[in-house]
């Protein structure tokens, strides 16, 4: 552990021991040259994740929480317990190739006015995912989902082939300057899981920060692995966060979304809804 590190790599984990160890192994095999510390924030996993970090990864700092507080709250705990200039939010189901983090750091430091940078995310077969976009609203969310679901690999590859300034990048791998994160009030803890990255980027942009997508850095995202632990709970968490997002950013649309989810039988229960965005 380097207390004066330039970069803190924060990895939130909940019952993803296998994926977490693959992620940590990739960081051990390909450590960034930027001075750094790796911090795992364990959300009360029951699969031995915390014990595995303690015994097998002594160089990694562990923050073991006694309850599953969600992605945003756990990341905030990691931010508060570190002091680095830069903060990297990194999913436990990612694999970091050699040089990727250094290229991301270089981009953030060199791009004018950059507060946040996100890399090109690819799946285990090298296919890119659409990990950035315009500020989410009803029509833009529909467009984003349509491209993700029905867009050709060639289209998504073209969209992710060049650097660009965007409204948001995925929280699966998001590099931010500490001063900008703190000025934005960190991540909004009303989001238990999903939506917090778009909201966080919006808060940073509201204070004049710029968000950049940087394909020069590429990170493997084994997307969906963390969701397979409890897909029903993950679906509930997504819909609660979706409602919270619209309630905050598009309040006129929130009743319509609630009606739509109700008609589909997917409206979260009231008790879950109150808990879900913590």
């Amino acid at each position: 552990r380097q207390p004066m590190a330039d970069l803190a790599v924060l990895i939130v984990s909940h019952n993803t021991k296998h994926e977490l160890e693959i992620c940590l192994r990739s960081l051990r095999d390909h450590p960034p040259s930027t001075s750094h510390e790796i911090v795992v924030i364990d959300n009360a996993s029951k699969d031995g994740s915390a014990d595995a970090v303690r015994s097998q990864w002594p160089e990694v700092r562990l923050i073991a929480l006694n309850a599953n507080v969600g992605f945003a709250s756990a990341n905030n705990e990691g931010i508060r317990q570190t002091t680095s200039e830069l903060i990297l939010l990194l999913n436990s189901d990612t694999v970091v190739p050699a040089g990727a983090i250094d290229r991301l750091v270089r981009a953030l430091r060199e791009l004018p006015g950059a507060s946040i940078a996100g890399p090109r995310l690819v799946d285990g077969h090298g296919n890119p995912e659409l990990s950035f976009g315009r500020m989410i609203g009803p029509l833009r969310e529909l467009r984003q989902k349509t491209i993700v679901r029905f867009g050709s690999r060639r289209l998504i590859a073209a969209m992710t082939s060049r650097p660009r300034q965007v409204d948001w990048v995925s929280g699966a791998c998001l590099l931010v300057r500490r001063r900008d994160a703190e000025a934005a009030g960190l991540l909004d803890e009303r989001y238990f899981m999903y939506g917090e990255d778009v909201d966080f980027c919006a808060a940073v942009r509201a204070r004049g920060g710029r968000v950049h997508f940087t394909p020069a850095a590429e990170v493997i995202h084994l997307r969906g692995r963390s969701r397979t632990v409890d897909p029903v709970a993950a679906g509930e968490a997504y819909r609660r966060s979706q409602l919270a997002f619209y309630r905050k950013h598009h309040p006129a649309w929130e009743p319509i979304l609630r009606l739509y989810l109700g008609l589909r039988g997917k409206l979260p229960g009231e008790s879950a809804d109150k808990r879900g965005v913590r």
Side-chain angles (χ1 to χ4, degrees):
R1 179 183 167 194
Q2 302 178 38
M4 299 303 291
D6 292 333
L7 170 69
V9 180
L10 306 184
I11 306 172
V12 173
S13 179
H14 176 64
N15 291 333
T16 55
K17 177 185 172 184
H18 177 68
E19 288 75 25
L20 174 63
E21 292 191 316
I22 293 173
C23 178
L24 291 175
R25 195 172 298 117
S26 73
L27 291 167
R28 176 186 281 175
D29 292 344
H30 309 294
S33 61
T34 306
S35 65
H36 65 283
E37 66 169 326
I38 300 169
V39 182
V40 170
I41 307 98
D42 185 73
N43 257 334
S45 295
K46 298 178 180 178
D47 65 350
S49 295
D51 288 338
V53 173
R54 289 188 189 98
S55 62
Q56 300 175 39
W57 310 92
E59 72 275 23
V60 172
R61 182 177 172 191
L62 174 68
I63 300 174
L65 304 178
N66 57 15
N68 181 9
V69 299
F71 184 79
S73 184
N75 268 309
N76 285 348
E77 188 64 30
I79 293 171
R80 293 186 186 104
Q81 292 198 33
T82 54
T83 58
S84 57
E85 171 205 353
L86 304 176
I87 300 158
L88 179 67
L89 309 186
L90 187 67
N91 269 23
S92 61
D93 59 358
T94 57
V95 181
V96 182
I101 293 178
D102 286 324
R103 285 190 285 272
L104 195 60
V105 168
R106 192 177 309 121
L108 185 69
R109 287 178 168 166
E110 292 178 356
L111 287 165
S115 298
I116 291 175
R120 189 174 192 250
L121 296 179
V122 300
D123 66 17
H125 302 288
N127 300 311
E129 66 176 68
L130 195 56
S131 58
F132 61 87
R134 299 284 302 278
M135 181 58 180
I136 292 295
L139 296 180
R140 286 176 182 163
E141 184 174 16
L142 177 63
R143 177 180 181 272
Q144 187 91 4
K145 288 181 176 179
T146 300
I147 292 173
V148 169
R149 185 170 298 179
F150 302 110
S152 67
R153 289 181 181 177
R154 182 177 296 180
L155 172 63
I156 295 176
M159 293 178 71
T160 59
S161 64
R162 65 178 179 86
R164 60 177 81 197
Q165 187 174 332
V166 296
D167 285 348
W168 61 268
V169 293
S170 170
C173 185
L174 182 155
L175 180 68
V176 61
R177 296 180 189 273
R178 176 177 296 275
R179 66 168 183 260
D180 293 308
E182 291 178 344
L186 307 187
L187 283 77
D188 189 332
E189 296 185 10
R190 287 179 294 177
Y191 301 98
F192 187 80
M193 184 168 61
Y194 305 113
E196 64 287 305
D197 45 7
V198 180
D199 179 271
F200 179 59
C201 288
V204 170
R205 287 189 296 104
R207 288 156 181 78
R210 296 179 181 177
V211 180
H212 288 269
F213 169 71
T214 311
E218 187 172 284
V219 169
I220 300 165
H221 185 200
L222 304 176
R223 191 176 180 85
R225 296 287 181 87
S226 57
R227 289 197 292 266
T228 60
V229 173
D230 191 341
V232 174
E236 284 266 316
Y238 169 76
R239 289 185 287 275
R240 290 195 299 268
S241 289
Q242 188 182 30
L243 285 166
F245 186 90
Y246 276 83
R247 192 178 305 127
K248 179 176 180 178
H249 294 282
H250 307 289
W253 281 92
E254 193 260 351
I256 299 171
L257 174 61
R258 184 175 288 275
L259 176 62
Y260 170 73
L261 291 174
L263 290 172
R264 295 185 65 199
K266 293 187 175 182
L267 182 66
E270 280 306 308
S271 60
D273 189 41
K274 292 173 182 175
R275 182 195 72 238
V277 290
R278 255 181 46 82

